[in-house]
Amino acid sequence: MTKKKILVLCTGNSARSQMGEGLFRAESRGGFEVFSAGTKPSSVRPEAIAVMQEIGIDISGQRSKSVDEFSGQSIDYVVTVCDRARDSCPVFPAGTERIHWSLEDPAAVQGSEEERLGAFRRIRDQIHERVKTFIRDRAPAAR
């Protein structure tokens, strides 16, 4: 049986979608193929890498990718984690379930390093709760 594919989509593919990719991969324990991309990719934020490392998930090897890399591919679930990505998300083939999670951009938070890391932790934890619910509701049955 082929694993279902999840694409986590954001604008820059630098924070929310990168954390989502890492969390989906960790929580699904290989039950899904997981990718992330951006409508205007940039680079993975060091704050995202740091707060994921705090919970034992290493995303330092992930890279920002354009959603164009996935055009024409069969994707089972497209999870948009920002409103701009939802609004500019390309059309995927029939059968793709689109899910939208409107999440604040932690990269937009100004202030000290600790204040910025706090914003990344808060968004990481919000994504984590949603990922756990998604996995619980949609994970392939254990065999």
Side-chain angles (χ1 to χ4, degrees), residues 76-91:
D76 298 288
Y77 303 101
V78 173
V79 180
T80 52
V81 292
C82 77
D83 296 338
R84 267 187 285 170
R86 176 197 59 200
D87 296 342
S88 61
C89 182
V91 175

Side-chain angles (χ1 to χ4, degrees), residues 67-73 92:
V67 69
D68 296 339
E69 290 185 34
F70 300 92
S71 67
Q73 289 188 35
F92 283 89

Side-chain angles (χ1 to χ4, degrees), residues 14-15 17 24 30 36 44 61 68-69 74 78 88 91 112 121 129:
S14 65
S17 53
F24 269 116
S36 69
V44 182
D68 296 339
E69 290 185 34
S74 175
V78 173
S88 61
V91 175
S112 69
R121 287 182 190 110
E129 287 307 310

Side-chain angles (χ1 to χ4, degrees), residues 50-109:
V51 301
M52 292 297 288
Q53 191 66 49
E54 290 174 356
I55 62 169
I57 298 173
D58 182 7
I59 64 168
S60 64
Q62 292 178 196
R63 66 177 177 86
S64 288
K65 300 163 288 301
S66 171
V67 69
D68 296 339
E69 290 185 34
F70 300 92
S71 67
Q73 289 188 35
S74 175
I75 304 288
D76 298 288
Y77 303 101
V78 173
V79 180
T80 52
V81 292
C82 77
D83 296 338
R84 267 187 285 170
R86 176 197 59 200
D87 296 342
S88 61
C89 182
V91 175
F92 283 89
T96 299
E97 182 178 342
R98 290 179 61 162
I99 299 162
H100 179 63
W101 298 340
S102 184
L103 298 163
E104 177 186 340
D105 183 2
V109 171

